[in-house]
């Protein structure tokens, strides 16, 4: 009986030793992956544009330095619809008004892109930064006018 108990404890100890080795390998893999992700995010560019129009809460139109107009869909947020629906969704008008309040025509903004630059509707996907450094995408979430 004592031999069985000793064998059981040794087996558990060996098993746990093997698990801790695997856990440290996993932690190292995660650490390496996050380093790569952070490096990739740091490489993303921010470009300056002038606001030409607010279409709704999560879609705007900007103009580049050459005068080209670009439709921009805010990344990672979704506001209630006000266009192409029979009646605007609840808080859709409020989200649009909030975005219009933060973005005046002619105001300069910066766009930051992710890996995918265009959505299926050929809109540029971007995080929009205001002149004071705040991110419009976050401000909509903070106000409860958008969801992730």
């Amino acid at each position: 009986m004592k031999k069985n108990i000793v064998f059981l404890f040794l087996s558990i100890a060996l098993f746990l030793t093997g698990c801790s080795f695997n856990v440290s390998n996993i932690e190292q893999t995660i650490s390496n992956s996050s380093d790569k992700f952070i490096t990739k995010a740091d490489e993303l560019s921010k470009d300056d544009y002038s606001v030409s129009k607010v279409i709704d809460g999560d879609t705007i139109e900007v103009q580049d330095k050459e005068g080209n107009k670009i439709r921009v869909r805010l990344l990672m947020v979704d506001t209630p619809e006000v266009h192409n629906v029979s009646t605007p969704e609840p808080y859709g008008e409020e989200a649009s008004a909030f975005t219009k309040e933060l973005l005046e025509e002619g105001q300069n903004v910066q766009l930051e892109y992710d890996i995918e630059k265009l959505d299926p509707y050929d809109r540029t996907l971007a995080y929009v930064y205001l002149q004071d450094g705040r991110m419009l995408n976050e401000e909509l979430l903070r106000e409860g006018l958008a969801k992730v």
Side-chain angles (χ1 to χ4, degrees):
M1 182 73 163
K2 284 185 179 180
K3 287 182 183 179
N4 289 343
I5 293 174
V6 169
F7 178 74
L8 178 65
F9 280 116
L10 285 174
S11 298
I12 291 171
L14 286 172
F15 175 76
L16 292 176
T17 303
C19 286
S20 68
F21 175 77
N22 288 338
V23 168
S24 67
N25 283 344
I26 291 169
E27 288 172 348
Q28 183 62 41
T29 301
I30 291 170
S31 173
N32 289 344
S33 296
S34 5
D35 290 345
K36 289 176 187 169
F37 179 75
I38 290 168
T39 303
K40 188 70 171 173
D42 290 340
E43 293 172 3
L44 297 177
S45 65
K46 285 185 183 176
D47 295 325
D48 291 314
Y49 293 91
S50 172
V51 174
S52 55
K53 182 179 178 183
V54 172
I55 295 162
D56 62 19
D58 56 20
T59 308
I60 65 172
E61 187 178 82
V62 297
Q63 190 171 325
D64 65 14
K65 292 173 183 160
E66 289 80 35
N68 301 311
K69 293 194 177 184
I70 302 161
R71 192 164 284 212
V72 177
R73 173 67 168 77
L74 302 182
L75 266 170
M76 301 298 292
V77 296
D78 186 31
T79 61
E81 296 301 320
V82 293
H83 301 295
N84 301 323
V85 291
S86 56
T87 57
E89 294 178 352
Y91 298 102
E93 296 292 340
E94 289 84 350
S96 294
F98 181 77
T99 299
K100 286 178 184 174
E101 182 181 313
L102 291 180
L103 297 178
E104 297 176 13
E105 188 175 326
Q107 173 182 336
N108 288 329
V109 293
Q110 285 189 318
L111 302 184
E112 181 178 25
Y113 314 106
D114 201 352
I115 306 300
E116 294 292 323
K117 195 166 179 182
L118 296 175
D119 73 0
Y121 305 103
D122 286 330
R123 296 177 296 188
T124 297
L125 298 169
Y127 300 103
V128 177
Y129 289 88
L130 308 172
Q131 291 174 325
D132 62 9
R134 292 180 295 157
M135 184 194 298
L136 176 59
N137 313 50
E138 286 180 356
E139 294 302 314
L140 283 160
L141 290 170
R142 195 179 327 269
E143 290 294 317
L145 296 170
K147 61 183 178 181
V148 175

